[in-house]
């Protein structure tokens, strides 16, 4: 029987312990506390999006483990953890016939930051943003951290708490 102690509680910490994923991520350990923003950087294909997918429980890790608020992320628990996350993808693709959904990256980021979700997972936009929008993205990420949210973001402009893959 799976006991889920984390339901109805705010996530305070994201931990990666010696995580290895394929040939891209090797023995990565990091901790992201509530109110902290950790930025992933690296060349295209270095594993940033792959790592985000693993943190969300969409793909398994080959080695190590991921914990959220002290609880192990497993295929069984991933769904419950995702209910506590807001995720902004690189791009939002819609099935044929759907056109009424706002796919603007900045709009999606603003919705995530202003959500009641305590853990934000933010991937970089696939297309380069204009400079003023980059500043707004950075401002929103810093604001979310000030609100006490736990953030893991792909962002090479914010240099504090940067992890290079």
């Amino acid at each position: 029987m799976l006991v889920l102690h984390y339901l109805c509680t705010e996530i305070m910490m994201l931990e990666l312990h010696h995580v290895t994923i394929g040939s891209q991520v090797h023995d990565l350990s990091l901790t992201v506390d509530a109110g902290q923003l950790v930025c992933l950087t690296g060349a295209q294909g270095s594993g940033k999006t792959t790592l985000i997918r693993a943190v969300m429980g969409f793909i398994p890790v080959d080695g190590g483990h991921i914990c959220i608020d002290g609880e192990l992320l497993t295929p069984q628990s991933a769904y419950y953890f995702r209910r506590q996350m807001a995720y902004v993808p690189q791009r939002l693709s819609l099935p044929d016939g759907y056109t009424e959904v706002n796919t603007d990256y900045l709009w999606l980021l603003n919705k995530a930051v202003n959500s009641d979700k305590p853990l934000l997972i933010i991937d970089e936009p696939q297309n380069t943003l204009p400079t003023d929008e980059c500043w707004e993205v950075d401002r929103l990420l810093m604001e979310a951290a000030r609100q006490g949210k736990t953030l893991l973001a792909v962002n090479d402009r914010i240099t504090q708490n940067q992890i290079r893959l």
Side-chain angles (χ1 to χ4, degrees):
M1 175 202 274
L2 179 64
V3 178
L4 302 173
H5 299 286
Y6 44 81
L7 293 176
C8 302
T9 63
E10 280 203 5
I11 296 171
M12 299 296 177
M13 186 183 322
L14 170 65
E15 298 172 286
L16 283 70
H17 299 277
H18 305 286
V19 169
T20 296
I21 308 167
S23 63
Q24 295 178 308
V25 179
H26 303 281
D27 196 33
L28 177 65
S29 295
L30 66 89
T31 300
V32 187
D33 290 314
Q36 186 178 23
L37 165 63
V38 169
C39 295
L40 303 173
T41 67
Q44 184 176 356
S46 64
K48 302 177 301 279
T49 298
T50 298
L51 182 62
I52 283 176
R53 289 180 181 147
V55 167
M56 295 187 66
F58 290 135
I59 62 171
V61 297
D62 297 320
H65 60 275
I66 299 170
C67 292
I68 299 177
D69 212 20
E71 299 283 340
L72 188 63
L73 176 67
T74 66
Q76 295 79 20
S77 66
Y79 168 78
Y80 298 99
F81 285 129
R82 283 193 297 267
R83 293 180 68 188
Q84 297 299 313
M85 297 178 190
Y87 169 57
V88 179
Q90 281 185 321
R91 68 174 184 267
L92 182 63
S93 57
L94 300 174
D96 289 339
Y98 285 85
T99 58
E100 298 299 319
V101 176
N102 191 336
T103 59
D104 177 69
Y105 183 83
L106 202 54
W107 182 84
L108 292 170
L109 178 60
N110 192 41
K111 293 296 273 184
V113 168
N114 290 302
S115 74
D116 63 348
K117 306 297 183 183
L119 177 58
L120 304 184
I121 308 295
I122 312 297
D123 207 344
E124 65 187 344
Q126 188 171 24
N127 300 323
T128 304
L129 297 174
T131 302
D132 60 328
E133 288 187 28
C134 288
W135 291 336
E136 183 62 10
V137 165
D138 297 350
R139 187 194 69 74
L140 285 168
L141 292 174
M142 299 301 283
E143 175 59 29
R146 280 191 293 276
Q147 291 173 13
K149 295 182 187 272
T150 304
L151 290 99
L152 182 63
V154 176
N155 182 305
D156 61 0
R157 295 176 308 278
I158 299 174
T159 57
Q160 65 187 28
N161 299 326
Q162 207 175 66
I163 305 291
R164 184 160 190 80
L165 296 180

